[in-house]
Amino acid sequence: MVIHVVQPGDSLYRIAQTYHAPLQLMIQQNELREPYRLTPGQTVVVPQPVQVHTVRQGETLSGIAAQHDTTVLALWQNNPQLGGGDRIWPGQTLVVSYGPKLGTFAVNGYAYPNIDQRVLRKTLPYLTYLSVFSYGFDSLGRILPQNAEAITRLARQYGVLPLLVLTTLGEDGQFSSARAQQLLRDPVARGALIENLAQTIAAQGFAGVDIDFEYIPSEDAAAYADFVRAVRTRLEPSGLTVMVALAPKTSADQPGLLYEAHDYAALGAAADDVLLMTYEWVIL
């Protein structure tokens, strides 16, 4: 598929003709409520399927998948208008395939436990991981109460691995340098947190943890890497993933409280995977 930027005088019909794309499918996949009113600068996804299926009376999504030797997940991915659901109707056009894949990659998304279920179902078919934001802890290493069993259960229904996001967010909703420092310098609290983390992950059905400690004092960089390594040592025998979220640095010695304790080499070696928080970047 391609992405077309609407130019003055463009119409959806003309765009469809230009790319030899199915007009009705363009309307469906772009969720255009007023398809014949386009705005210059607007982007339109132009689907260019290799194989499509027209729904017949009495057919189901799982039955269509079986007919074409594919999966319901693949149909969801190729047809965002389905919203991750199974509601179809006679005459509807579904994309079965788009042709050869360019490669594979992992996709992570963040969500609060109270996310709108419609939004979540629509997004899950495209995710590898769902990071549930967020779980804090107190000075004794106890996990602050949070219940994400419903969201983790739904994620697994779509084949997505739910991750518990462990943060140093305080009651005020801000990342706490003091909380990070206290934990990293207190071996008793640190050990308690790791054990409580393992228990919470098991109880609520998570597939691992995404550790997101921000604004750590620079002198605690090594201790932070050691903590991540210790979490991995505890969780790895259970087949659980340990991911760490990293501030977007442009150099190893980049100054600033957000960056200095995020040692890319040490944290990359300590965790299974890392996630660069490039949404912190500002393009000038």
Side-chain angles (χ1 to χ4, degrees):
M1 66 178 66
V2 299
I3 297 177
H4 177 87
V5 179
V6 176
Q7 304 299 314
D10 270 349
S11 69
L12 203 63
Y13 177 73
R14 180 181 297 176
I15 296 170
Q17 280 192 318
T18 300
Y19 294 100
H20 306 288
L23 177 61
Q24 192 57 38
L25 197 59
M26 285 179 58
I27 294 172
Q28 291 178 11
Q29 294 206 350
N30 287 278
E31 299 183 351
L32 297 173
R33 296 183 179 180
E34 298 181 279
Y36 302 107
R37 296 182 61 181
L38 301 180
T39 302
Q42 178 182 355
T43 56
V44 176
V45 175
V46 182
Q48 297 177 306
V50 170
Q51 185 179 16
V52 299
H53 177 94
T54 301
V55 179
R56 296 185 293 270
Q57 185 71 38
E59 287 189 315
T60 63
L61 204 60
S62 58
I64 294 170
Q67 286 180 49
H68 295 283
D69 194 26
T70 186
T71 64
V72 171
L73 177 61
L75 291 177
W76 279 333
Q77 292 171 340
N78 292 338
N79 299 275
Q81 72 274 17
L82 294 176
D86 57 6
R87 184 173 178 270
I88 55 177
W89 57 87
Q92 183 180 19
T93 299
L94 299 179
V95 175
V96 175
S97 66
Y98 278 109
K101 293 183 177 181
L102 298 179
T104 59
F105 54 89
V107 180
N108 180 59
Y110 282 90
Y112 288 99
N114 62 350
I115 184 175
D116 186 310
Q117 293 292 295
R118 292 170 299 177
V119 174
L120 183 58
R121 286 181 181 276
K122 185 175 181 178
T123 307
L124 283 172
Y126 305 99
L127 299 182
T128 310
Y129 302 102
L130 177 69
S131 291
V132 181
F133 198 86
S134 75
Y135 284 71
F137 54 89
D138 65 15
S139 61
L140 299 178
R142 294 176 298 198
I143 300 286
L144 299 180
Q146 179 82 279
N147 190 337
E149 290 181 55
I151 192 174
T152 59
R153 186 164 53 248
L154 185 59
R156 287 189 179 277
Q157 288 176 14
Y158 284 78
V160 175
L161 299 176
L163 301 179
L164 180 156
V165 181
L166 183 68
T167 72
T168 55
L169 285 176
E171 290 74 14
D172 60 356
Q174 303 297 315
F175 284 93
S176 171
S177 295
R179 186 162 301 192
Q181 187 173 64
Q182 183 270 329
L183 176 86
L184 295 175
R185 298 184 181 188
D186 183 343
V188 175
R190 191 168 60 248
L193 175 59
I194 293 172
E195 191 56 38
N196 289 329
L197 175 64
Q199 293 177 12
T200 302
I201 286 173
Q204 296 193 17
F206 286 103
V209 61
D210 175 6
I211 302 174
D212 182 10
F213 284 17
E214 301 183 27
Y215 304 105
I216 305 169
S218 59
E219 59 268 27
D220 293 316
Y224 182 39
D226 288 343
F227 169 72
V228 173
R229 188 177 300 106
V231 172
R232 186 182 181 190
T233 298
R234 174 64 177 84
L235 300 184
E236 191 171 41
S238 299
L240 300 169
T241 294
V242 176
M243 185 181 294
V244 61
L246 301 180
K249 299 171 66 168
T250 56
S251 64
D253 57 355
Q254 184 170 343
L257 186 59
L258 180 63
Y259 309 103
E260 292 174 3
H262 281 193
D263 183 327
Y264 277 20
L267 291 169
D272 294 306
D273 296 292
V274 300
L275 185 148
L276 297 179
M277 298 183 288
T278 52
Y279 47 78
E280 298 281 359
W281 280 349
V282 176
I283 299 176
L284 301 177

